[in-house]
């Protein structure tokens, strides 16, 4: 145990975490240069392209340190986005130390800070690393000051590195040996292992990654997952290098994997505790949570007959993404589809993109909403995941909506406009802290629903990109919620209904109508677009009928070209959904949510 | 019925709205004419018949080529085809090329119909279009054509341009009616890509043309022409006394035709072919024995769609029996689209055919695509 070091890397998107991880793998010869694809730890195409890590990963490295000893390092890579903060917290709980990686040209960002707080809560040793020091735009002194202010270290504690050139990698490895404590734990105690991630393998089923806090696990043990209460047979255990290396036995302090023949990811809960059936531990490891989806939206196949295919694709996605939940629902406008729950908006986008890439399935997504709690006058308690679930106003007693605590880090010159934005989003200001004279941290409490729509984009544009944002859910609070319906020539389009705060309904309704006016093609007749709360119309736009759409010349040479043009026009129409007599292009359902005011 | 189209790719100057293929460099005339003559020989087996009823010289501006060139072309055609039952021989001409001498020469080679590019009787509009002629030349040319005893001719007019008010457009029609023009082609000003007009609009020198203006003027054109006793037998074509343009009507009725010259198209019932549209590349390919055209074999669906498209644009419309007999696979598509368009009054039934209504004509492309098979 003395020669084991368990650590993870905390960094903001683009600060070079994956590249630096690659350099660590190279330097320790865990991976040969020949096998190196960029970002070896990011398995999914989508992760490599977006440069973010969606799932956690873990890998074991061996390092011959200058003190003459050979160390085993377990590098636990964490997801880099706010939607996955619970997974991050479990990964951090599996470590004794973290590398705090900061881009020398960009400085500390909100996400870095919230993850850093998680690490501090777990009393982890922090090794500050200033990355990309070779870049011309590097502000080494300024960013060093930020780091010192934030974690209270000394200037000489900060390791300078460049993931690109490999500069500083040796120093980082030495610091890990010297500063991060070896794991503690009692190999004689009953088994207590923390599951911090799981992956799905189509041949082997679900593979859970764990960190053993106490005790020993052997191949063939009968094990119990404490929180789910389920028991399994440890078919295979081992450690994670670039491939899985099976072992007979793993003991306290180690990181490894277990295969038990579980077929579905949702059976394994990240944060759960593995123990042995014959000698169980007295209690589960702290911090387990049943992760609940925060954002809901309907996903519908473009062609109704693809419904079963979509179900299969969602089933397969759920195998390796337990945080995705779904159940069938139907819409008058869109036919049969699924109401899906996501961890956040990025998670929604990722699922959409994976459906398209991995399953060649294009879907229509309805207006997303958060999950509300409602009570009726009869005292029933309801969970509202779709606008149609909202009880009639006459029997509705109250609605509660989820609130978050948001951290925004920015430059002082943008405070004014960011405050205006957050107050406009029904936020309340918590505290303001100057991290350095040039960086300020603002804390707000905001309804989550306000973050779902056009918050990131606005924040980005008003701060010219100099604001970073992170949040944690805090609680549910009373809210004045109404259901906003959209009608086309009098026909309600259920797929465009949404739940909004009463104070926001008018402006939201106007924006949706305006946006639809841009998105719907003109037709042979006039189209009225209306936003309504109950019977009351609160906004209206009109699309005039097509006036002239005719080719003047159609002679011998024009026939082929013209035919192809009109065929294309017809194909476009086929991709539309009919709402009454009004044709709505599929993209309108997606694009209508991009409500930028300019 | 089979027709021949000759594309004469030369013009004196470029009109601002034109995207047809032409060159203003007349030095290459003989080389291009020689190549066309060779193409006539090379394509001689394209049509199912050698008997030709219509001949059409378009462009470009066929009226700019020399007597020698024209005679060479006709001689070459006569060698391959039987022109003895030719019913219509149309020459596209610009008013400034109409002279007593030219008219005599054209009569001699057999021309019996002109399509005259008048476009407008207002000089400011002609200037805006960058036309080579003036309105007085238009009046004079019409007079000369009549005096040379050509009974059948057509003029082109354009509505909906930047300068054209509804009043001007009605004045143009009024002039044509006064002049007792037997056939008119009246086109909406269309901003085609790769034209001067397109770039003027792109660069902000001119505003885009509002759709409402075009719609309004098209409606007025249709109403006024009907009032003056012209029959609108195709979206943009009007005539008196059934003086239909035979060659063009054949295009819309699915007859076969062969086209010679750069950018010319051909159709033999089963496939459509189109030539390279660059003069030099065309000559080079013909000289070097290289491929000078591309072709496409029509599927049943293509044939059905073309029938709908060309049929609906004419007064003859589309016929249910023809769809049922010849395009049975698409009968359901046809009926579904038809029912919808009858309901919205864009199509009406007339003498066992289905034709566009006035409303339907304004949005013909939209209506046609509704009946298309995909």
């Amino acid at each position: 145990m003395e020669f084991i070091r368990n650590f993870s890397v905390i960094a903001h998107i683009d600060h070079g975490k994956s590249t630096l991880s690659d350099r660590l793998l190279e330097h320790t010869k865990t991976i040969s240069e020949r096998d190196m694809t960029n970002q070896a730890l990011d398995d999914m195409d989508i992760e490599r392209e977006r440069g973010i890590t969606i799932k956690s990963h873990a890998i074991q490295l061996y390092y011959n340190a200058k003190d003459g000893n050979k160390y085993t390092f377990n590098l636990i890579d964490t997801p880099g986005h706010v939607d996955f903060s619970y997974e991050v917290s479990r990964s951090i709980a599996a470590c004794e130390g973290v590398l705090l990686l900061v881009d020398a040209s960009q400085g500390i960002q909100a996400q870095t800070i919230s993850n850093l707080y998680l690490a501090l809560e777990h009393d982890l040793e922090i090794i500050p690393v200033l990355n990309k020091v070779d870049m011309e735009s590097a502000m080494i002194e300024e960013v060093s000051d930020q780091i010192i202010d934030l974690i209270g270290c000394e200037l000489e504690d900060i390791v300078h590195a460049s993931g690109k050139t490999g500069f500083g990698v040796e120093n980082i490895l030495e610091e890990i040996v010297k500063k991060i404590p070896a794991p503690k734990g009692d190999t004689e105690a009953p088994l207590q292992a923390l599951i911090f991630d799981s992956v799905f393998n189509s041949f082997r089923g679900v593979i859970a990654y764990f960190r053993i806090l106490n005790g020993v696990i052997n191949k063939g043990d009968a094990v119990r997952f404490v929180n789910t209460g389920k028991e399994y047979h440890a078919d295979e255990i081992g450690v994670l290098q670039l491939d899985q290396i099976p072992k007979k036995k793993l003991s306290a302090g180690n990181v490894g994997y277990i295969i038990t023949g579980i077929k579905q990811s949702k059976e394994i809960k990240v944060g759960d505790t593995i123990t042995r059936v014959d000698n169980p531990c007295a209690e589960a490891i702290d911090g387990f949570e049943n992760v609940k989806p925060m954002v809901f939206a309907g996903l519908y196949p473009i062609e109704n007959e693809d419904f079963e295919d979509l179900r299969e694709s969602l089933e397969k996605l759920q195998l390796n993404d337990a945080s995705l939940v779904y159940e069938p629902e139907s819409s008058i406008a869109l036919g049969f589809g699924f109401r899906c729950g996501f961890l956040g908006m990025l998670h929604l986008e990722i699922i959409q993109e994976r459906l398209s890439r991995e399953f060649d399935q294009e879907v229509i997504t309805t207006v997303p909403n958060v999950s509300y709690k409602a009570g009726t006058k009869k005292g029933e308690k309801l969970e509202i995941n779709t606008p149609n679930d909202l009880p009639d106003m006459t029997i509705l007693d109250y609605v509660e909506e989820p609130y978050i605590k948001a951290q925004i880090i920015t430059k002082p010159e943008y405070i004014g406009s960011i405050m205006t934005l957050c107050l406009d989003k029904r936020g309340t200001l918590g505290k303001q802290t100057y991290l350095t004279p040039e960086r300020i941290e603002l804390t707000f409490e905001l309804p989550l629903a306000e973050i779902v729509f056009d918050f990131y984009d606005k924040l980005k544009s008003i701060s010219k990109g100099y604001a970073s944002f992170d949040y944690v859910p805090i609680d549910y609070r009373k809210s004045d919620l109404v259901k906003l319906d959209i009608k086309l020539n009098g026909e309600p389009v259920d797929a465009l209904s949404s739940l909004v705060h009463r104070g926001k309904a008018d402006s939201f309704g106007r924006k949706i109508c305006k946006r639809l006016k841009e998105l719907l093609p003109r037709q042979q007749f006039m189209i009225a677009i209306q936003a309504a709360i109950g019977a009351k119309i609160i906004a209206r736009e009109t699309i005039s009928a097509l006036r002239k759409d005719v080719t003047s010349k159609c002679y011998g040479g024009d026939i082929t070209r013209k035919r192809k043009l009109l065929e294309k026009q017809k194909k476009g129409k086929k991709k539309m959904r009919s709402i009454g007599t009004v044709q709505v292009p599929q993209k309108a359902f997606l694009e209508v949510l991009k409500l930028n005011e300019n | 019925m089979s027709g021949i189209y000759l594309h004469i790719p030369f013009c004196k100057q470029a009109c601002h709205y034109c995207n047809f293929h032409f060159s203003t460099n007349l030095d290459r005339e003989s080389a291009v004419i020689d190549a066309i003559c060779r193409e006539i020989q090379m394509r001689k087996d394209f049509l199912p018949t050698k008997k030709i009823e219509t001949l059409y010289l378009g462009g470009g501006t066929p009226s700019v080529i020399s007597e020698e060139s024209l005679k060479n072309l006709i001689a070459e055609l006569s060698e391959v085809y039987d022109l003895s039952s030719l019913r219509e021989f149309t020459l596209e001409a610009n008013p400034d090329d109409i002279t007593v001498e030219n008219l005599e020469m054209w009569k001699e080679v057999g021309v019996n119909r002109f399509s005259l590019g008048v476009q407008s009787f207002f000089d400011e509009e002609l200037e805006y279009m960058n036309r080579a002629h003036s309105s007085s030349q238009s009046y004079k040319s019409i007079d000369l054509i009549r005096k040379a005893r050509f009974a059948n001719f057509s003029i082109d007019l354009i509505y909906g341009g930047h300068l054209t008010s509804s009043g001007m457009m009605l004045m143009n029609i009024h002039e044509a009616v006064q002049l007792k023009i037997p056939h008119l082609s009246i086109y909406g000003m269309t901003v085609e890509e790769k034209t001067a007009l397109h770039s003027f609009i792109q660069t902000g020198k001119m505003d885009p043309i509002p759709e409402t203006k075009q719609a309004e003027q098209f409606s007025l054109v249709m109403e006024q022409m009907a009032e003056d006793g012209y029959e609108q037998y195709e979206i943009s074509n009007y005539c008196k006394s059934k003086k239909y343009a035979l060659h063009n009507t054949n295009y819309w009725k699915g007859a076969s035709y062969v086209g010679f010259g750069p950018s010319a198209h051909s159709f033999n019932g089963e496939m459509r072919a189109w030539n390279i549209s660059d003069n030099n590349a065309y000559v080079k390919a013909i000289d070097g024995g290289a491929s000078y055209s591309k072709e496409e074999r029509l599927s049943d669906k293509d044939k059905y769609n073309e029938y709908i498209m060309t049929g609906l644009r004419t007064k003859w419309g589309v016929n249910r029996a023809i769809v049922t007999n010849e395009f049975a696979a698409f009968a359901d598509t046809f009926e579904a689209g038809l029912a919808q368009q009858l309901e919205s009054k864009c199509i009406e039934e007339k003498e066992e055919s289905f034709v566009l209504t006035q409303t339907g004509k304004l949005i013909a492309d939209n209506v046609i695509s509704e009946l298309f098979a995909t």
Side-chain angles (χ1 to χ4, degrees):
Chain A
M1 225 186 295
E2 188 187 338
F3 300 114
I4 295 176
R5 296 291 181 273
N6 298 321
F7 65 98
S8 74
V9 185
I10 290 175
H12 189 71
I13 297 170
D14 286 343
H15 281 200
K17 183 172 70 169
S18 295
T19 315
L20 187 78
S21 304
D22 288 349
R23 289 295 96 77
L24 296 176
L25 302 190
E26 258 176 19
H27 198 89
T28 54
K29 310 238 163 28
T30 308
I31 185 168
S32 70
E33 258 172 76
R34 193 168 48 83
D35 290 338
M36 198 75 199
T37 48
N38 278 334
Q39 302 181 9
L41 287 183
D42 291 347
D43 287 336
M44 278 188 256
D45 285 350
I46 194 170
E47 292 187 326
R48 284 204 190 108
E49 269 170 43
R50 291 195 173 207
I52 55 168
T53 306
I54 298 165
K55 300 284 292 175
S56 315
H57 299 271
I59 194 161
Q60 197 167 71
L61 342 166
Y62 298 104
Y63 176 59
N64 293 310
K66 289 189 180 149
D67 66 10
N69 295 314
K70 187 178 173 182
Y71 288 84
T72 301
F73 287 178
N74 290 303
L75 164 57
I76 296 170
D77 198 17
T78 56
H81 190 274
V82 54
D83 285 357
F84 306 98
S85 55
Y86 176 71
E87 288 197 29
V88 177
S89 82
R90 295 303 84 203
S91 296
I92 282 174
C95 300
E96 277 79 33
V98 296
L99 302 181
L100 173 68
L101 188 67
V102 182
D103 184 325
S105 62
Q106 295 187 51
I108 289 183
Q109 305 289 327
Q111 206 188 329
T112 326
I113 295 196
S114 55
N115 287 347
L116 178 69
Y117 288 164
L118 279 175
L120 292 171
E121 272 171 35
H122 285 90
D123 288 328
L124 301 198
E125 181 63 35
I126 316 271
I127 300 175
V129 178
L130 195 56
N131 196 22
K132 306 194 190 179
V133 290
D134 54 328
M135 278 176 59
E136 250 176 62
S137 53
M139 306 172 291
I140 294 177
E141 272 178 43
E142 195 191 325
V143 180
S144 297
D145 284 346
Q146 290 173 11
I147 295 172
I148 293 166
D149 282 353
L150 192 66
I151 61 173
C153 64
E154 301 295 326
L155 183 61
E156 49 272 17
D157 291 336
I158 300 173
V159 186
H160 289 198
S162 162
K164 208 170 85 192
T165 63
F167 168 77
V169 169
E170 180 86 32
N171 288 342
I172 294 173
L173 292 165
E174 281 298 315
E175 289 283 292
I176 292 169
V177 169
K178 280 187 225 143
K179 292 217 173 129
I180 296 179
K184 295 185 192 77
D186 182 358
T187 38
E188 304 305 320
L191 174 66
Q192 214 182 16
L194 169 71
I195 298 176
F196 61 85
D197 194 15
S198 69
V199 294
F200 174 77
N201 179 301
S202 44
F203 301 107
R204 319 219 47 193
V206 183
I207 304 167
Y209 296 172
F210 60 79
R211 151 75 198 272
I212 306 176
L213 298 186
N214 291 301
V216 175
I217 185 168
N218 302 292
K219 177 178 159 59
D221 279 350
V223 293
R224 178 183 302 141
F225 289 11
V226 179
N227 287 289
T228 61
K230 293 204 168 149
E231 291 180 6
Y232 305 97
H233 181 259
D235 294 342
E236 180 179 320
I237 59 167
V239 294
L240 297 148
Q241 297 186 354
L242 262 198
D243 299 309
Q244 290 145 0
I245 312 293
K247 299 272 174 189
K248 288 236 156 55
K249 171 180 163 179
L250 287 171
S251 57
N254 270 302
V255 170
Y257 69 90
I258 177 168
I259 297 173
T260 59
I262 295 174
K263 292 277 175 277
Q264 294 205 333
S265 285
K266 58 183 173 189
E267 258 187 81
I268 291 189
K269 306 276 186 201
V270 167
D272 204 346
T273 306
I274 307 174
T275 191
R276 271 165 52 177
V277 175
D278 58 3
N279 181 19
C281 56
E283 54 194 37
I285 300 159
D286 271 357
F288 174 78
E289 276 174 42
N290 243 324
V291 186
K292 291 189 90 176
M294 303 295 282
V295 173
F296 287 82
L299 296 191
Y300 287 82
I302 281 170
E303 301 290 345
N304 271 323
E305 64 252 35
D306 294 338
F307 173 76
E308 283 304 325
D309 290 346
L310 179 58
R311 182 203 295 278
E312 264 174 44
S313 308
L314 286 171
E315 264 168 24
K316 282 183 191 147
L317 278 181
Q318 203 187 41
L319 287 178
N320 65 11
D321 183 351
S323 48
L324 169 71
V325 300
Y326 61 91
E327 58 180 46
E329 73 168 3
S330 68
S331 145
I332 299 158
L334 301 176
F336 291 100
F338 297 92
R339 173 101 327 212
C340 302
F342 308 94
L343 296 177
M345 286 302 278
L346 178 83
H347 190 213
L348 186 162
E349 274 177 44
I350 288 166
I351 294 294
Q352 235 175 329
E353 213 164 310
R354 289 187 66 190
L355 280 171
S356 159
R357 274 187 211 208
E358 295 167 32
F359 301 95
D360 196 20
Q361 197 127 47
E362 301 298 329
V363 291
I364 297 172
T365 311
T366 64
V367 188
N369 58 261
V370 300
S371 183
Y372 296 91
K373 287 177 179 169
T376 65
K377 288 177 181 156
K378 283 187 193 155
E380 294 164 288
K381 289 199 189 308
L382 305 166
E383 202 164 284
I384 312 293
N385 292 334
T386 158
N388 294 328
D389 288 348
L390 190 71
D392 196 83
M393 287 300 159
T394 51
I395 60 162
L396 184 69
D397 182 25
Y398 67 89
V399 182
E400 289 177 342
E401 64 176 323
Y403 267 68
I404 56 157
K405 188 173 184 180
Q407 263 163 339
I408 297 170
I409 294 179
T410 188
K411 292 185 171 180
E413 63 223 74
Y414 303 118
I415 294 178
S417 38
I418 289 174
M419 288 233 217
T420 311
L421 171 69
C422 290
L423 296 179
D424 181 51
K425 295 280 185 188
R426 298 189 283 133
T428 47
L429 180 64
K431 54 176 191 192
Q432 312 181 41
T433 318
Y434 277 87
L435 302 172
T436 69
E438 273 309 296
R439 291 186 89 68
I440 182 162
E441 180 192 351
L442 303 168
T443 316
F444 288 93
E445 292 187 355
L446 283 155
L448 177 66
E450 297 286 343
I451 307 299
V452 171
F453 290 108
D454 69 341
F455 181 82
Y456 293 97
D457 289 346
K458 274 197 178 146
L459 181 66
K460 216 188 226 170
S461 82
I462 60 173
S463 64
K464 304 198 168 62
Y466 285 107
S468 59
F469 171 79
D470 197 11
Y471 70 78
V472 281
I474 39 177
D475 52 15
Y476 274 76
R477 297 179 192 174
K478 287 255 159 63
S479 174
D480 189 4
L481 199 70
V482 292
K483 182 176 168 221
L484 182 77
D485 293 316
I486 299 294
K487 296 177 177 182
L488 295 178
N489 280 354
E491 295 270 345
V493 188
D494 56 0
L496 292 176
S497 291
S498 51
L499 295 169
V500 283
H501 190 261
R502 191 182 298 276
K504 291 299 186 68
D506 276 18
S507 73
F508 187 67
R510 271 200 304 277
K511 280 188 217 165
I512 288 220
C513 289
K514 225 182 223 152
R515 189 84 183 105
L516 277 174
K517 185 178 177 171
E518 294 162 11
L519 291 168
L520 300 187
R522 287 189 308 158
Q523 288 178 231
Q524 294 180 1
F525 43 82
M526 194 189 81
I527 303 167
I529 306 166
Q530 295 169 311
I533 299 172
K536 191 179 159 218
I537 305 294
I538 57 161
R540 183 194 162 106
E541 291 283 344
T542 306
I543 299 178
S544 60
L546 203 54
R547 292 294 309 275
K548 183 168 183 274
D549 180 17
V550 52
T551 310
S552 263
K553 294 190 180 186
C554 188
Y555 299 115
D558 307 308
I559 292 174
T560 307
R561 189 170 61 106
K562 198 67 227 166
R563 188 195 77 226
K564 287 185 175 161
L565 218 72
L566 295 185
E567 277 171 354
K568 216 170 136 194
Q569 204 170 317
K570 171 79 179 194
K571 275 205 185 109
K573 283 181 198 165
K574 260 195 111 176
K575 281 197 183 152
M576 296 192 201
R577 291 284 178 160
S578 300
I579 310 291
T581 52
V582 182
Q583 304 269 309
V584 183
Q586 281 143 15
K587 75 168 197 309
F589 291 99
L590 306 172
E591 297 280 318
V592 74
L593 305 175
K594 296 179 182 158
L595 296 169
N596 281 339
E597 270 155 307
N598 342 322
Chain B
M1 291 279 277
S2 283
I4 290 175
Y5 174 78
L6 289 182
H7 190 82
I8 310 299
F10 297 107
C11 285
K12 281 187 197 158
Q13 66 186 56
C15 302
H16 282 166
Y17 55 86
C18 183
N19 73 334
F20 276 42
H21 171 67
F22 63 89
S23 161
T24 51
N25 178 5
L26 282 154
D27 298 346
R28 300 275 297 160
E29 181 180 326
S30 68
V32 173
I33 299 294
D34 284 354
I36 297 177
C37 286
R38 244 175 314 208
E39 194 199 349
I40 292 171
Q41 292 292 342
M42 290 157 79
R43 260 205 205 279
K44 65 181 178 199
D45 295 321
F46 185 85
L47 288 180
T49 169
K50 292 280 181 288
K51 215 172 157 76
I52 300 302
E53 274 106 5
T54 63
L55 175 57
Y56 194 103
L57 264 70
T61 320
S63 56
V64 300
I65 59 165
S66 69
E67 178 173 353
E68 190 197 345
S69 294
L70 187 57
K71 286 187 169 161
N72 284 345
L73 288 170
I74 305 300
E76 201 70 44
L77 284 177
S78 307
E79 238 180 66
V80 176
Y81 295 98
D82 172 6
L83 302 178
S84 63
S85 27
L86 202 61
R87 294 170 61 200
E88 184 189 274
F89 180 174
T90 306
L91 183 92
E92 278 182 359
N94 276 345
D96 46 320
D97 293 326
I98 305 286
T99 61
V100 175
E101 298 75 33
N102 274 344
L103 284 165
E104 253 173 50
M105 182 265 286
W106 289 329
K107 188 166 250 180
E108 192 192 322
V109 299
V111 173
N112 62 9
R113 184 176 181 272
F114 290 99
S115 172
L116 201 58
V118 171
Q119 320 305 1
S120 169
F121 290 102
F122 291 92
D123 282 328
E124 66 259 42
E125 280 200 286
L126 295 173
E127 207 169 296
Y128 149 84
M129 296 179 204
N130 199 37
R131 296 289 303 180
H133 71 280
S134 66
S135 62
S136 63
Q137 282 174 317
S138 294
Y139 289 111
K140 196 178 153 209
S141 65
I142 292 166
D143 188 44
L144 287 175
I145 287 172
R146 283 238 159 79
K147 282 191 172 136
R149 298 188 177 280
F150 285 95
N152 198 4
F153 67 98
S154 173
I155 68 168
D156 289 354
L157 291 177
I158 296 179
Y159 67 85
H162 283 87
L163 304 182
T164 326
S165 65
S166 295
M168 286 164 83
M169 197 264 322
L170 289 171
M171 286 289 285
N172 274 331
I173 292 177
H174 179 76
E175 288 302 294
V177 172
Q178 290 298 304
L179 291 164
K180 298 193 165 43
I181 309 289
H183 184 285
L184 280 94
S185 297
I186 309 179
Y187 304 115
M189 174 60 81
T190 309
V191 183
E192 302 280 1
E193 275 178 34
K194 294 180 195 158
T195 61
L197 195 58
H198 187 254
S199 91
F200 293 156
I201 292 172
Q202 288 295 301
T203 55
K205 270 191 211 159
M206 289 186 189
D207 294 329
I209 302 174
E211 188 193 78
T212 44
K213 175 178 178 173
Q214 292 248 332
E216 209 172 277
Q217 295 198 2
F218 186 31
S219 298
L220 278 173
V221 169
M222 290 192 277
E223 283 161 26
Q224 188 59 48
M225 291 302 283
E227 198 162 302
D228 289 326
Y230 283 84
E231 182 181 20
Q232 184 182 13
Y233 70 102
E234 196 260 355
I235 291 277
S236 306
N237 286 281
Y238 307 79
C239 70
K240 280 200 163 168
S241 321
K242 303 211 183 310
K243 284 211 155 34
Y244 309 128
L246 297 179
H247 184 83
N248 291 340
T249 301
N250 281 344
Y251 288 144
W252 307 320
K253 291 193 166 177
S256 51
Y257 56 91
V258 61
F260 304 110
S263 85
H265 285 235
S266 303
F267 172 62
N268 64 5
E270 289 305 319
M271 65 165 154
R272 295 194 180 274
W274 53 94
N275 290 352
I276 309 180
S277 64
D278 176 276
N279 288 1
N280 291 333
Y282 171 79
V283 171
K284 224 172 143 186
I286 296 266
D287 283 355
S291 152
Y292 60 91
S293 91
K294 286 186 177 154
E295 57 193 40
E296 171 191 49
R297 191 160 288 280
L298 298 184
S299 65
D300 288 347
K301 187 190 82 188
D302 295 339
K303 288 181 192 169
Y304 163 78
N305 285 348
E306 288 191 356
Y307 171 68
I308 296 295
M309 180 176 81
T310 52
L312 274 179
R313 288 178 62 92
T314 68
K315 70 156 198 154
W316 299 283
V318 290
N319 186 287
R320 182 174 274 147
I322 290 181
V323 172
T324 322
N325 295 329
E326 294 178 31
F327 306 109
F330 309 105
D332 290 347
T333 309
F334 175 76
E335 292 298 340
L338 184 65
Q340 186 196 342
Q341 297 307 314
L342 285 169
E343 160 110 26
S344 60
K345 298 200 163 41
C346 288
I347 289 181
E348 62 187 345
E349 191 165 9
K350 226 177 202 175
E351 294 156 20
E352 288 178 28
S353 283
F354 295 96
V355 297
L356 293 178
T357 60
Q358 182 104 341
T359 318
K361 283 173 189 165
L362 281 162
I363 52 167
D365 287 2
N366 188 284
V367 178
I368 288 165
S369 73
E370 289 290 347
L371 269 69
F372 263 22
T374 53

